[in-house]
Amino acid sequence: MVTGIVFIIAGILIAIFPELLSLIVSVFLVTLGVGIVLTSYHHKRLSQHFDNPFADFIFRF
C-alpha cells in the first residue's frame, strides 16, 4: 500500500516537474551500471577460487 502511494506521488511530481523524470531515469541507470560493475568485480574475484563455466559465459566482459 505504501509503495502504491509512493508511485502515485512520484507520478504526480513527474507530471508537475517533467525534469524530475530525467533525474529519476539517470539515477536508475547510474545505479544499474554501478551494480553491474560491482557484480563483475565480485565474480572475477571469486573466479580465482571456483570454476563455473556458465557464470564465465555470462560475465565474459
Side-chain angles (χ1 to χ4, degrees):
M1 183 167 161
V2 174
T3 307
I5 293 171
V6 169
F7 280 140
I8 291 170
I9 292 171
I12 292 170
L13 286 174
I14 288 172
I16 295 171
F17 304 109
E19 62 273 0
L20 190 62
L21 179 61
S22 64
L23 179 67
I24 292 171
V25 170
S26 65
V27 167
F28 173 73
L29 291 175
V30 168
T31 304
L32 182 66
V34 168
I36 290 172
V37 167
L38 290 176
T39 301
S40 81
Y41 172 74
H42 182 69
H43 169 70
K44 286 183 187 281
R45 211 177 73 198
L46 281 181
S47 68
Q48 295 171 356
H49 301 291
F50 304 105
D51 187 28
N52 186 350
F54 182 71
D56 288 338
F57 177 74
I58 292 174
F59 294 111
R60 180 174 299 183
F61 304 105

